[in-house]
């Protein structure tokens, strides 16, 4: 438990005075993600500790440098969890980095995303001001929802000092089934199931296996197992963790990994390489050396987008380029938070 | 200082020229400018504040919205968007020098996609109409404000509205995927997408709850959920409000997230009982309504667990709705609570603070003390699961000075909510009503940042001017009487 906010602010003020860009680093577990980092390293990981955790209020507040494992452990002691089941990508993963990247894991389509559970934040903006938005209550519409906008902004609008998250109880019981079927059939099944009140909590199709996790009261899960059918998966926790952490064989030795988010019922993509489907069809991992533009276009035409998750040209576009109108708003917003362009410049888009 | 105070704008808008310009875009009957036509638009659901707009524009297409906004932009005319006008914070209160832009004619349900479970809607579609249209597919739209028969989805997005099912199913922000907005310059932008996330800053979250300050919402794609296989509601009565509050904590501590968890106090119970005869126990000091939904087996198990928990919470009575009909009756009293109060008092003023749930007893005690001090009665209706309080202050606007007294009392309640770590508004928005309390909740640096966000979308400050975020000047005037978190607010600004 250390609070180094004052120190961080000093480093900030110095950088602002010299107009020196800062590269904000938490656990450095997601250094691979986004465009190339530039600037002097500002290390946040020493700013750590759970500031407030009230199990019956379903809220936890922690400093940005707090290791994700510490948070998960504290929650587990009260049979609670981060409902968005974030990937760690390393033992050092911090809360701040997770929120800045906006990463969510297998439970996402059934419970919500990282930003859905963000209730409040304390940040330092590019002017060196310490600001607090939102709070520790679930319902709060006072002022613009800046905290949620920080999620996935890759630190380009503000450095997170503290984050408050809504948490949820763990299900009493969980089990995973696997069925053999094609991608096309899997997409159909996942979407049909999602339109019923089955207690789904994760789905994945890989190598002709459709994996489905059910969570809830034991009797409810048992009844749903009967309805859906399939073989039970032993050690299913390990399967979902390996999926979340990109440790399944599918991810081994992939040079170019693309993340596509699409309308969930969109048909299988006609691209070369291998595909893994999760999130009920809403997220697809693509290992492909196809032309970047071709991959992006195939996502755009069906209402989605593609991120060059790993292995891309990190001086170029990692994220899907924005429309002209949206780009202007992004520039305006950046200017409103970070007029001198100190904060992680260019990590999200060139010039932002 | 009275809340309701419009900034002076110079030069004054040339009404005749503006009407002429709008007539080139809209048919004559879609531009209202005679006093008698304007009167129905003079206020929203917060009728204590009234103001005639300069004129009302009623576009019936997105192109018309764009054109109207271009005219306003070119002529520096303020624009206030309006859905159904059920807002409770004066968000749709007109500007006397501006256009009131009604989205009421844009009422089409454009598309329902049963496989992807989404619905694409025009902004004037009523909240309840979405679930009605989705029902044939076994789907529904989860956020269900009590005003759902009247309020629009555009207004719901602008306020980030909630309902009785928020704890389990989230607010509006958790249930929408894509917006089309028209900027003040008249440009049409797509925000979010039909996928679960979108590259770039999360403007979808930012727009939600932005109270018409950043853009005009002209299309909304919402997420639809499967209708639960079964829903069952439990009613528990208590001889003391604090016991009801602890029962809420006990249910959540047991790892149960009810679909709805609502509390009413004695006055609200009796008003509802007089109005709709829901069969509530009149002698109870508080009742809890706890709804559980999901698969048949899940509900059976949760109902028995919740009953077990409640039986250890010193209840005076416990009922489980036997069938769908009785479930509807249990809810009817809660859903009619506001109009029920409206029957027993000439006027009532609805507050909307949120607090950490464990602070409920002390907050209720404070409210009771203030009620005695001000000589005004308060009924409490409470989204107990998510800590959102709706104290209803009963008053009579015909008694000189009583509204002002009520507003002052309300302001104190909100201040208490902030002091215990909560917020001045859970779901009704800041609008005009809570503009002063924003100075209690936020310091000058945060407010300045909010103005920066606003400028990023609306550099001229034409969209809903004067609402939602106070100027520092205004806070300095208000703050002269207040201390913010132990330090005097705005020490750098001159006192008046
Ligand atoms: C009896 C009663 C019960 C209520 N219960 C609840 C409840 O349970 N939960 C809850 O959250 N609220 C509740 N409300 C408040 C209100 O119904 C909601 O805030 C609702 O979302 C407002 O919708 P509307 O269409 O009436 O919007 P309006 O009142 O017309 O407008 C509200 C705000 O949104 C802006 N706006 C409207 N449409 C657009 C648009 N298309 N683009 C941009 N800005 C727009 C307006 O400028 C204004 O600032 C209740 C109100 C009443 C009268």
């Amino acid at each position: 438990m250390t609070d180094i906010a004052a120190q961080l602010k000093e480093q900030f003020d110095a950088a602002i005075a010299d107009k020196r860009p800062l590269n904000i680093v938490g656990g450095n577990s997601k250094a691979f993600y986004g465009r190339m980092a530039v600037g002097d390293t500002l290390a946040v990981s020493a700013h750590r500790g759970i500031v407030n955790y009230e199990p019956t209020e379903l809220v936890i507040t922690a400093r940005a440098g707090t290791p994700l494992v510490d948070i998960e452990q504290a929650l587990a002691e009260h049979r609670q969890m981060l409902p968005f089941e974030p990937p760690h990508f390393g033992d050092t993963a911090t809360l701040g980095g997770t929120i800045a990247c906006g990463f969510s894991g297998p439970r996402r389509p059934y419970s919500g995303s990282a930003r859905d559970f963000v209730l409040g934040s304390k940040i330092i903006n590019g002017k060196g001001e310490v600001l607090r938005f939102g709070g520790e209550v679930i319902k709060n519409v006072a002022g613009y929802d800046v905290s949620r906008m920080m999620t996935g902004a890759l630190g380009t609008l503000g450095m997170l000092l503290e984050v408050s998250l809504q948490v949820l109880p763990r299900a009493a019981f969980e089990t995973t089934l696997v069925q053999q079927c094609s991608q096309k059939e899997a997409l159909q099944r996942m979407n049909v199931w999602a339109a019923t009140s089955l207690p789904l909590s994760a789905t994945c199709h890989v190598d002709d296996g459709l994996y489905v996790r059910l969570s809830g009261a034991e009797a409810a899960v048992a009844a749903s197992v009967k309805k859906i059918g399939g073989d039970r998966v032993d050690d299913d926790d390990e399967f979902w963790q390996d999926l979340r952490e990109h440790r399944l064989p599918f991810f081994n030795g992939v040079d170019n990994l693309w993340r596509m988010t699409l309308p969930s019922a969109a048909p299988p993509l006609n691209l070369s390489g291998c595909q893994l489907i999760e999130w009920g069809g809403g997220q697809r991992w693509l290992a492909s050396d196809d032309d970047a533009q071709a991959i992006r276009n195939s996502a755009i035409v069906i209402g989605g987008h593609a991120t060059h998750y790993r292995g891309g040209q990190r001086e170029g576009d990692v994220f899907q380029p924005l429309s002209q109108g949206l780009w202007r708003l992004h520039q305006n917003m950046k200017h409103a938070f970070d007029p001198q362009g100190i904060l992680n410049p260019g990590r999200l888009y060139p010039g932002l | 200082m009275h809340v309701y105070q419009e900034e002076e704008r110079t030069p004054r808008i040339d009404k005749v020229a503006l009407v002429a310009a709008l007539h080139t875009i809209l048919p004559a009957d879609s531009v209202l400018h005679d006093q008698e036509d304007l009167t129905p638009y003079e206020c929203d659901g917060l009728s204590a504040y009234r103001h005639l707009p300069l004129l009302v524009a009623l576009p019936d297409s997105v192109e018309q919205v764009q054109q109207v906004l271009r005219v306003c932009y070119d002529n520096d005319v303020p624009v206030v968007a309006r859905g159904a006008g059920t807002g409770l914070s004066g968000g749709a209160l007109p500007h006397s020098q501006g256009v009131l832009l009604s989205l009421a004619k844009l009422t089409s349900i454009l598309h329902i996609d049963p496989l992807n479970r989404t619905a694409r809607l025009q902004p004037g579609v009523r909240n309840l109409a979405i679930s009605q249209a989705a029902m044939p597919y076994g789907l529904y739209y989860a956020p269900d404000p009590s005003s759902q028969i009247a309020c629009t989805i555009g207004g719901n997005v602008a306020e980030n509205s909630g309902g009785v099912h928020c704890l389990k199913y989230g607010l509006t922000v958790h249930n929408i995927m894509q917006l089309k907005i028209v900027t003040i310059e008249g440009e049409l932008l797509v925000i979010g997408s039909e996928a679960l996330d979108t590259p770039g800053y999360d403007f979808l979250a930012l727009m939600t709850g932005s109270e018409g300050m950043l853009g005009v919402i002209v299309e909304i794609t919402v997420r639809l959920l499967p209708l639960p296989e079964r829903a069952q509601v439990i009613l528990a009565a208590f001889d003391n409000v604090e016991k009801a509050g602890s029962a809420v904590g006990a249910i959540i501590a047991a790892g149960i997230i009810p679909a709805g968890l609502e509390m009413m106090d004695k006055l609200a119970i009796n008003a509802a009982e007089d109005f709709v005869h829901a069969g509530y126990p009149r002698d109870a000091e508080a009742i809890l309504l706890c709804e559980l939904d999901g698969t048949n087996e899940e509900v059976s198990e949760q109902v028995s667990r919740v009953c077990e928990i409640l039986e250890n919470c010193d209840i005076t009575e416990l009922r489980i709705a036997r069938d769908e009909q009785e479930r509807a009756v249990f809810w009817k009293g809660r859903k009619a609570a506001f109009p029920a109060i409206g029957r027993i008092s000439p006027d009532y003023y609805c507050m909307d603070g949120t607090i950490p749930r464990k602070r409920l007893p002390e907050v209720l005690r404070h409210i009771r003390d203030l009620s005695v001090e001000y000589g005004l009665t308060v009924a409490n209706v409470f989204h107990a699961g998510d800590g959102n309080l709706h104290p209803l202050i009963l008053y009579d606007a015909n008694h000189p000075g009583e509204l002002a007294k009520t507003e002052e009392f309300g302001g104190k309640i909100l201040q208490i909510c902030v002091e215990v770590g909560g917020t001045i508004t859970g779901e009704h928005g800041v609008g005009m009503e809570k503009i002063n309390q924003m100075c209690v909740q936020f310091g000058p640096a945060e407010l300045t940042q909010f103005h920066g966000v606003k400028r990023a979308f609306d550099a001229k400050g034409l969209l809903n001017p004067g609402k939602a975020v106070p100027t520092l000047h205004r806070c300095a005037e208000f703050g002269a009487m207040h201390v913010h978190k132990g330090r005097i607010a705005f020490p750098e600004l001159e006192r008046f």
Side-chain angles (χ1 to χ4, degrees):
Chain A
M1 280 286 276
T2 40
D3 181 344
I4 60 157
Q7 241 166 287
L8 289 169
K9 167 132 172 64
E10 252 170 54
Q11 285 173 274
F12 237 85
D13 289 342
I16 291 167
D18 312 344
K19 298 195 165 74
R20 240 183 322 115
L22 291 172
N23 171 27
I24 306 164
V25 177
N28 211 31
S29 59
K30 292 156 189 85
F32 68 88
Y33 187 65
R35 299 181 74 254
M36 212 56 157
V38 294
D40 298 352
T41 298
L42 183 71
V44 190
S45 64
H47 186 59
R48 60 171 69 187
I50 293 170
V51 179
N52 184 27
Y53 171 38
E54 292 273 356
T56 59
E57 302 286 335
L58 301 174
V59 174
I60 190 164
T61 298
R63 299 197 181 97
T66 313
L68 211 46
V69 284
D70 289 7
I71 291 176
E72 288 172 342
Q73 193 188 332
L75 296 174
E77 281 165 21
H78 294 271
R79 286 205 52 80
Q80 294 188 336
M81 62 175 180
L82 294 176
F84 53 103
E85 210 176 359
H88 294 212
F89 298 136
D91 301 337
T92 56
T94 62
L95 172 63
T98 301
I99 297 303
C101 291
F103 283 167
S104 307
R107 207 178 295 269
R108 190 268 173 256
Y110 309 104
S111 63
S113 66
R115 75 85 130 128
D116 286 341
F117 294 96
V118 169
L119 299 177
S121 61
K122 184 168 157 190
I123 67 163
I124 304 185
N125 68 7
K127 293 177 244 177
E129 296 164 331
V130 177
L131 308 172
R132 251 181 210 286
F133 298 102
E136 295 188 306
V137 287
I138 294 166
K139 265 166 128 180
N140 183 357
V141 292
Y144 301 118
D145 199 342
V146 172
S147 301
R148 287 203 168 95
M149 187 168 62
M150 291 293 141
T151 317
L154 280 177
T156 59
L157 295 176
M159 185 186 78
L160 294 165
L161 282 174
E162 261 175 47
V163 181
S164 299
L165 296 172
Q166 186 187 349
V167 300
L168 286 178
R170 286 175 176 227
F173 196 77
E174 258 178 14
T175 197
T176 300
L177 300 169
V178 62
Q179 306 176 344
Q180 298 304 310
C181 68
S182 68
Q183 284 189 356
K184 186 157 177 271
E185 177 60 25
L187 285 166
Q188 177 71 18
R189 287 184 198 175
M190 289 189 279
N191 281 286
V192 168
W193 289 336
T196 67
S197 55
L198 286 168
L200 302 173
S201 69
T203 45
C204 170
H205 181 271
V206 61
D207 298 334
D208 285 335
L210 169 58
Y211 294 79
V212 50
R213 186 174 65 189
L214 299 160
S215 308
E218 191 166 353
V221 171
S224 305
V225 164
K226 267 197 212 131
K227 267 184 221 161
I228 290 183
D231 300 326
R232 272 192 210 249
V233 177
D234 298 330
D235 296 327
D236 64 326
D237 274 357
E238 202 176 300
F239 173 80
W240 296 110
Q241 273 181 31
D242 286 348
L243 167 64
R244 192 186 78 189
E245 302 300 334
H246 291 184
R247 289 189 303 240
L248 288 180
F250 172 88
F251 296 98
N252 282 350
V254 173
D255 290 330
N256 280 296
L257 182 68
W258 288 84
R259 171 179 182 265
M260 329 270 282
T261 58
L262 305 174
S264 61
L269 294 163
N270 194 9
L271 291 162
S272 72
C274 303
Q275 290 174 47
L276 180 151
I277 303 174
E278 56 167 335
W279 291 10
Q283 174 166 270
R284 314 210 185 159
W285 296 100
L286 172 70
S288 172
D289 298 329
D290 272 3
D291 171 56
Q293 202 51 51
I295 291 175
R296 292 194 194 282
N297 287 344
S298 69
I300 293 174
V301 293
I302 46 177
H305 69 93
T307 300
H308 207 154
Y309 207 79
R310 290 181 200 260
Q313 255 297 333
R314 299 186 64 197
E315 284 81 22
D317 277 319
V318 167
F319 303 98
Q320 190 111 352
L322 301 166
S323 73
Q324 218 179 353
L326 274 183
W327 174 241
R328 212 180 46 248
L329 280 185
H330 275 71
Q331 286 177 305
N332 293 350
M333 196 57 68
K334 173 75 173 176
H335 185 77
F337 280 84
D338 181 23
Q340 299 198 62
I342 304 282
L343 294 162
N344 278 1
R347 187 78 187 262
L348 188 59
Y349 286 104
L352 208 61
Chain B
M1 180 173 69
H2 197 274
V3 175
Y4 178 28
Q5 177 190 56
E6 192 174 85
E7 62 175 323
E8 212 30 67
R9 289 187 87 89
T10 47
R12 316 262 317 157
I13 307 295
D14 180 346
K15 181 170 173 177
V16 177
L18 185 59
V19 170
L22 293 181
H23 274 158
T24 65
I25 303 165
L26 301 170
D29 61 357
S30 295
V31 184
L32 312 178
H33 49 86
D34 290 339
Q35 163 124 14
E36 63 182 299
D37 294 333
L38 297 179
T39 308
Y41 296 92
E42 68 180 349
C43 66
D44 61 7
L46 182 68
S47 56
Y49 306 157
R50 293 167 192 272
H51 214 131
L52 287 184
L54 194 64
L55 54 85
V56 175
L58 292 147
D60 67 7
S61 70
V62 172
E63 294 70 35
Q64 288 182 353
V65 173
Q66 289 181 269
Q67 288 171 333
V68 170
L69 286 168
R70 272 182 215 131
V71 166
C72 293
Y73 184 75
D74 289 344
N75 296 288
D76 292 337
V77 179
V79 177
V80 178
R82 178 183 168 108
T86 67
L88 290 173
S89 54
L93 180 73
H95 194 285
S96 65
Q97 288 295 295
V99 168
L100 187 87
L101 183 66
S102 167
L103 286 310
K105 286 193 173 179
L106 294 163
T107 56
S108 298
I109 293 177
L110 299 168
H111 183 59
I112 292 186
D113 180 340
L115 199 55
N116 279 303
R117 288 151 280 122
T118 58
R120 208 151 51 78
L121 313 157
Q122 287 195 321
V125 172
R126 288 174 306 111
N127 174 293
L128 187 61
I130 309 169
S131 290
Q132 284 167 342
M135 189 138 80
Y137 307 100
L139 302 169
Y140 77 111
Y141 176 63
D144 58 343
S146 312
S147 51
Q148 69 183 150
I149 45 169
C151 64
T152 67
I153 184 66
N156 291 172
V157 174
E159 299 287 14
N160 192 15
S161 295
V164 298
H165 291 105
C166 295
L167 182 63
K168 185 164 177 185
Y169 295 108
L171 304 153
T172 304
V173 71
H174 302 106
N175 289 280
I176 61 173
M177 311 203 42
Q178 177 179 288
L179 297 176
K180 288 191 182 156
I181 68 161
V182 179
T183 65
I184 185 66
E185 289 99 334
E187 187 178 5
L188 184 65
L189 295 178
V190 181
I191 286 176
S193 72
E194 286 168 36
L196 286 175
D197 47 50
T198 320
Y201 297 144
D202 198 334
F203 289 154
L204 191 63
L206 188 72
M207 282 302 300
T208 314
S210 66
E211 304 193 19
M213 303 282 291
L214 304 180
V216 176
I217 300 155
V218 291
E219 193 185 293
I220 303 98
T221 302
V222 303
R223 202 163 66 100
L224 301 173
L225 297 182
L227 285 163
E229 194 172 285
R230 178 174 152 205
Q232 192 143 27
V233 63
I234 300 169
L235 185 158
F238 300 82
D239 60 9
N240 157 328
V241 180
E242 289 170 27
K243 288 179 188 168
S246 330
V248 171
I251 292 170
I252 287 167
I256 295 167
I257 301 293
L261 194 51
E262 297 286 310
M263 193 195 289
M264 291 163 75
D265 74 358
K266 189 167 196 165
L267 192 59
I269 295 168
N270 281 284
E273 203 40 41
D274 289 339
F275 186 29
V276 297
H277 315 293
Y280 292 164
R282 284 181 181 273
D283 53 346
E285 286 299 320
I287 60 167
L288 267 189
L289 291 172
C290 176
E291 179 156 292
L292 301 156
D293 73 5
T295 62
N296 194 16
E297 298 81 11
E298 187 87 37
V299 174
S300 297
E301 174 153 336
Q302 291 199 341
V303 166
S304 66
R305 288 188 62 208
V306 168
C307 287
E308 209 174 289
I309 294 164
L310 287 171
E311 268 153 15
N312 288 317
C313 288
D314 205 6
I315 43 169
T316 54
E317 196 181 339
L318 186 71
R319 293 187 216 159
I320 305 173
R322 275 162 311 200
D323 49 25
E324 196 47 35
Q325 204 183 340
E326 193 170 32
R327 170 174 168 252
V329 173
F330 281 9
W331 277 118
K332 196 169 167 196
R334 166 62 188 87
K335 292 224 171 185
F338 290 10
I341 298 289
R343 289 172 75 240
I344 60 167
S345 170
D347 299 285
Y348 69 87
Y349 191 50
C350 174
M351 310 309 297
D352 173 46
T354 304
I355 56 168
R357 254 182 287 94
K358 63 172 179 193
R359 310 295 291 267
L360 180 66
E362 81 191 87
V363 171
L364 288 178
R365 222 174 303 125
H366 269 299
I367 294 177
R368 234 174 292 145
D369 293 347
L370 286 168
S371 163
V372 173
E373 187 185 322
Y374 281 90
L376 295 166
T377 308
V378 178
N380 281 295
V381 179
F382 187 29
H383 299 300
D386 35 43
N388 188 194
L389 289 171
H390 289 319
L392 304 167
I393 306 175
L394 313 193
Y395 73 102
D396 184 348
N398 288 326
H399 285 178
E402 205 159 289
L403 173 61
K405 207 163 74 166
T406 304
E407 285 181 321
E408 193 181 304
F409 178 4
K412 286 201 179 159
I413 294 178
L414 297 185
Q415 229 164 299
I416 293 166
C417 291
V418 175
E419 279 160 22
V420 301
T423 174
I424 58 172
T425 174
E427 58 182 12
H428 294 167
V430 173
M432 195 74 238
E433 179 204 20
K434 294 180 249 336
I435 196 91
N436 286 341
Q437 281 71 37
M438 281 293 281
C439 317
V440 178
Q441 184 154 342
F442 294 101
E446 283 87 3
L447 294 174
T448 304
Q449 188 66 73
F450 285 148
H451 288 299
V453 169
K454 161 86 171 159
R455 266 196 309 278
F457 278 76
D458 174 21
K460 286 190 179 184
L462 294 174
L463 288 168
N464 223 355
K467 309 268 182 70
V469 185
T471 60
L472 297 192
H473 181 83
R474 181 176 186 116
C475 285
E477 278 184 57
F478 179 73
M481 304 165 293
H482 294 268
V483 173
H484 181 71
K485 287 183 183 152
R487 61 196 149 87
I488 181 114
F490 306 97
E492 69 283 13
L493 294 179
E494 200 182 330
R495 304 275 136 194
F496 303 92

